Amino acid sequence: MTNKKLDAIPLQNLRLEDLVQYLQLKGWENTTTPNSPWLTFEGSQDREGQPLEIVLPRSAKAADYRLYISNAVELLAALSHEPAERVAENIGLYDRDILRVRNLDTGSESSISLGLAAKQVQELSRLVGYSAALEVRQPRPYFLGGRVPEQGLKMAKQWRFGHTFAGSFGFKIESPAIRQATRYEQRSFLDRDRSEGVAEVVIPPLERRVTERIVRGLVASEAAPRNADSENLLVQYFSGFNADMCRAVRLMNPTRRDNIEFTVDWSLKLTAPEDVQSVQKIRLNETSYNYLDYIAKELHRLKPEQVAVRGIVESLTARGNPLGLESERWVIVRWLNRPEGRPAQILVRLNKADYDAAIHAHRNYQLVEVTGALGRTGTMLQLFNPSNFNIVSA
């Protein structure tokens, strides 16, 4: 490999420890032998049935260190069918979600005006802030005055503006480092349920939920014209765009032409939900932006539809002391009267009095009913703003 080829891959900010973490999260097996000066990793098999191998020096000060790192990046790029530069970038940011915005209509200068660039960055910052506020607070169709709430502003300040890239001018933003998901566990009180093991509620960290909400809204915005479906966008503010997020995306593109493309790279530290896990390129057209305008106006008139969930309390869990004032108390209800016909698990956060009632219902295998607005958190259905929790069978 020539020095020119080495210089073509941005390795100066690529740390050995990040590459090791990246390989392990990608499923490469660490086969390093004790006291060896080399780190060795085995991956999938090649055409001859032999495992692919990556060898790295233990120290960044080793001779030909950059050559070994470059070879590893080139192999990973070939396996993933991505440019080596993109792979090197993803290795350095393995613990962050990356959202890219590409302007396609840039003319011969491969650039956009300073005013448009400033506008896009401003609206993207507001988009992150709105998304964070909807995750921290109860979801709502719009915020009064269109202002980003304080909780959202704090989160937006933690995001980083990444490098711009040429060739249809674009830029990226990076989430804060992804933490591990919060897991709540609780064994059933009922002898007949103990064979099912521990019930687990997994809540993705805030920084991941912010990106999920943005991507989910973008996907729905792209699909709306294709499916002639505005209803999905209208009810999606529990897990996607509210009116303010619709407006922020709309203002990023004053001309409404089909000239902005969004892509996302998910951090390897957490698996993204199925509905956004395999998202490739999202490109909104003029009709998409018209839908966003319409939805934003309709959301300002919307009164959330209430759903009465009736079912069996399958498990209960709490973070910290369930009697504490600041504790989070959750139950999973097997939703039996679901309109779609098939029962499903739904997550409900309760206050102390309702949580006590849920314990009683669970212990005695009684039906319960609770009213709220239907949404989604991570991979689970969730009932937001729950009220009127009661036991309906003796």
Side-chain angles (χ1 to χ4, degrees):
M1 182 179 292
T2 66
N3 289 334
K4 184 176 181 180
K5 191 172 184 181
L6 274 174
D7 292 338
I9 303 176
L11 303 177
Q12 61 274 16
N13 296 322
L14 203 161
R15 302 185 306 169
L16 179 61
E17 54 266 38
D18 289 342
L19 178 52
V20 169
Q21 287 289 325
Y22 181 89
L23 289 171
Q24 292 175 334
L25 289 169
K26 277 289 192 179
W28 289 72
E29 181 183 359
N30 190 337
T31 58
T32 304
T33 57
N35 303 320
S36 171
W38 304 98
L39 299 171
T40 55
F41 298 87
E42 287 189 357
S44 57
Q45 295 182 346
D46 61 18
R47 293 179 180 178
E48 284 71 40
Q50 298 299 314
L52 295 169
E53 187 176 66
I54 288 179
V55 178
L56 303 169
R58 282 187 180 270
S59 172
K61 297 180 181 180
D64 292 333
Y65 168 78
R66 292 186 71 241
L67 178 61
Y68 282 99
I69 299 296
S70 183
N71 284 338
V73 171
E74 288 282 3
L75 176 58
L76 293 169
L79 292 173
S80 62
H81 306 289
E82 291 183 317
E85 295 82 358
R86 180 77 168 263
V87 172
E89 182 180 65
N90 288 343
I91 292 171
L93 298 171
Y94 77 92
D95 61 347
R96 299 173 185 272
D97 292 329
I98 305 171
L99 183 67
R100 290 180 173 83
V101 181
R102 181 187 293 271
N103 288 270
L104 303 174
D105 186 14
T106 57
S108 60
E109 297 181 354
S110 295
S111 183
I112 59 177
S113 71
L114 183 61
L116 179 57
K119 183 63 174 175
Q120 289 185 350
V121 172
Q122 178 189 39
E123 294 304 329
L124 201 56
S125 176
R126 290 164 62 85
L127 188 68
V128 170
Y130 290 133
S131 182
L134 289 168
E135 291 297 331
V136 173
R137 304 164 66 172
Q138 293 286 4
R140 58 198 66 196
Y142 62 92
F143 293 109
L144 291 176
R147 293 186 298 271
V148 180
E150 184 64 28
Q151 303 98 320
L153 291 174
K154 289 180 179 179
M155 172 55 74
K157 289 178 181 178
Q158 297 177 42
W159 282 59
R160 291 162 45 178
F161 183 81
H163 296 295
T164 59
F165 47 90
S168 300
F169 176 84
F171 59 91
K172 66 180 183 182
I173 60 171
E174 306 160 10
S175 75
I178 300 293
R179 297 165 292 160
Q180 293 300 321
T182 302
R183 299 175 183 273
Y184 304 88
E185 293 184 351
Q186 174 72 47
R187 287 191 180 276
S188 173
F189 295 148
L190 305 176
D191 289 338
R192 59 178 168 269
D193 291 340
R194 286 178 182 166
S195 61
E196 298 180 4
V198 177
E200 185 176 61
V201 177
V202 180
I203 306 296
L206 176 59
E207 53 271 17
R208 165 52 65 84
R209 301 199 314 267
V210 168
T211 312
E212 286 178 9
R213 179 180 287 275
I214 291 172
V215 174
R216 188 174 289 118
L218 289 171
V219 169
S221 301
E222 182 188 47
R226 184 170 61 248
N227 301 329
D229 178 21
S230 61
E231 184 65 24
N232 188 41
L233 266 174
L234 191 61
V235 301
Q236 205 194 40
Y237 70 91
F238 286 103
S239 55
F241 285 176
N242 76 345
D244 304 289
M245 295 180 73
C246 288
R247 180 170 172 78
V249 171
R250 162 69 185 87
L251 291 176
M252 288 179 64
N253 188 353
T255 66
R256 302 191 187 209
R257 291 198 297 270
D258 181 12
N259 59 2
I260 296 183
E261 180 182 275
F262 299 88
T263 56
V264 62
D265 286 325
W266 300 107
S267 166
L268 296 177
K269 290 185 69 175
L270 287 178
T271 302
E274 289 184 3
D275 62 328
V276 293
Q277 189 178 99
S278 302
V279 171
Q280 299 295 319
K281 297 175 181 178
I282 306 168
R283 189 178 298 180
L284 306 184
N285 58 28
E286 182 176 354
T287 308
S288 304
Y289 293 111
N290 291 337
Y291 266 93
L292 287 172
D293 277 342
Y294 168 75
I295 294 301
K297 293 176 183 177
E298 290 298 307
L299 283 170
H300 277 276
R301 296 196 286 262
L302 181 68
K303 292 184 178 180
E305 180 182 357
Q306 297 294 295
V307 176
V309 171
R310 178 174 293 198
I312 298 295
V313 177
E314 290 196 333
S315 61
L316 308 97
T317 187
R319 186 177 186 182
N321 180 3
L323 303 179
L325 294 177
E326 301 300 323
S327 293
E328 294 183 5
R329 308 170 189 86
W330 302 88
V331 299
I332 297 177
V333 176
R334 171 64 64 175
W335 184 7
L336 299 178
N337 67 327
R338 190 178 180 208
E340 289 84 351
R342 293 179 56 188
Q345 289 184 325
I346 186 167
L347 187 64
V348 188
R349 184 175 177 177
L350 298 177
N351 60 33
K352 180 182 177 302
D354 290 342
Y355 190 76
D356 289 341
I359 291 175
H360 180 83
H362 181 61
R363 182 177 286 128
N364 295 284
Y365 206 67
Q366 296 172 294
L367 277 173
V368 300
E369 188 172 84
V370 58
T371 302
L374 184 64
R376 183 176 293 275
T377 295
T379 59
M380 289 201 68
L381 293 172
Q382 181 174 346
L383 197 69
F384 292 95
N385 302 323
S387 62
N388 303 323
F389 184 92
N390 61 86
I391 298 172
V392 296
S393 66

